[in-house]
Amino acid sequence: MTDTGRIHIYYGNGKGKTTAAMGLVMRAAGTGLRVLVFQFLKDNTSGERIVLEGLDNVTCLPGKENVKFSRQMSSGEKEEVKRYNNKALDEIAKLAASFDVLLLDESLCAVKLGLLNGDKLSGFLQHKPRGLEVILTGHAVSEKVQALADYVTEIRKVKHPYDKGVSSRQGIEY
């Protein structure tokens, strides 16, 4: 890429953060850019991941298997997930220079839940490779990370079937 890479944030309580990020990943991949994807707090079975793994210039790093919702984790499990996520970000930092675009899906949620070190994420963003475009998603974003971003999009829920007790549906919400 000829321009310095930018930082994109999709956050909020509305549906569509990962969907928007995946759209940008698809656009980048479609123009021949090399894309690296890592999903925090998700196992390796999402519908979008299945499609992305079939694209030549997209690399999906494996996430932790058998991921529970944080409210279902013991304190020991939370510490284990935090160690895993921090180590994953260290590995991503080593690989990042070989890519044009990096998606850190649910990284903002991982920070908010204490399952990823926020200073480590901020440090990575401050020292990312010059041409790397970085996309972050999650429910909330710290002022520190938001200040580093070039694009910040808040996705706000107005209405959602979950409010009426309707479960998420495969292929639509995940």
Side-chain angles (χ1 to χ4, degrees):
M1 296 183 73
T2 57
D3 197 2
T4 59
R6 307 272 191 238
I7 298 171
H8 306 246
I9 293 175
Y10 296 101
Y11 84 102
N13 65 359
K15 176 189 174 331
K17 298 173 290 292
T18 295
T19 305
M22 290 296 170
L24 183 50
V25 163
M26 295 297 288
R27 175 178 284 159
T31 60
L33 297 178
R34 297 159 305 183
V35 181
L36 181 62
V37 175
F38 186 78
Q39 294 182 295
F40 293 88
L41 310 179
K42 293 180 178 179
D43 62 16
N44 302 299
T45 62
S46 67
E48 64 269 10
R49 185 181 178 94
I50 294 165
V51 172
L52 292 177
E53 287 176 343
L55 300 176
D56 289 337
N57 51 335
V58 176
T59 300
C60 294
L61 295 175
K64 188 160 178 48
E65 296 290 335
N66 303 315
V67 177
K68 296 179 184 178
F69 288 110
S70 65
R71 65 182 175 271
Q72 298 170 327
M73 292 180 201
S74 68
S75 59
E77 288 171 320
K78 287 180 182 178
E79 281 303 313
E80 179 187 336
V81 169
K82 184 175 183 176
R83 276 191 303 276
Y84 182 92
N85 287 340
N86 286 330
K87 184 176 178 189
L89 187 56
D90 289 340
E91 293 302 313
I92 289 164
K94 292 175 191 173
L95 297 171
S98 298
F99 293 88
D100 302 303
V101 178
L102 169 63
L103 169 56
L104 297 174
D105 190 32
E106 301 294 354
S107 57
L108 302 174
C109 283
V111 168
K112 178 75 174 171
L113 295 168
L115 301 174
L116 176 64
N117 183 297
D119 289 337
K120 182 180 285 286
L121 179 61
S122 296
F124 169 74
L125 295 173
Q126 289 170 330
H127 300 99
K128 70 175 187 59
R130 181 173 167 79
L132 183 66
E133 207 81 12
V134 181
I135 310 160
L136 305 107
T137 67
H139 289 99
V141 59
S142 70
E143 289 181 18
K144 187 174 185 179
V145 170
Q146 186 168 327
L148 295 169
D150 300 286
Y151 301 89
V152 178
T153 303
E154 181 179 7
I155 298 178
R156 184 177 63 88
K157 178 187 71 148
V158 175
K159 185 178 183 181
H160 194 291
Y162 184 78
D163 298 334
K164 295 179 182 177
V166 177
S167 296
S168 59
R169 299 166 295 153
Q170 186 174 15
I172 304 301
E173 283 87 19
Y174 69 94

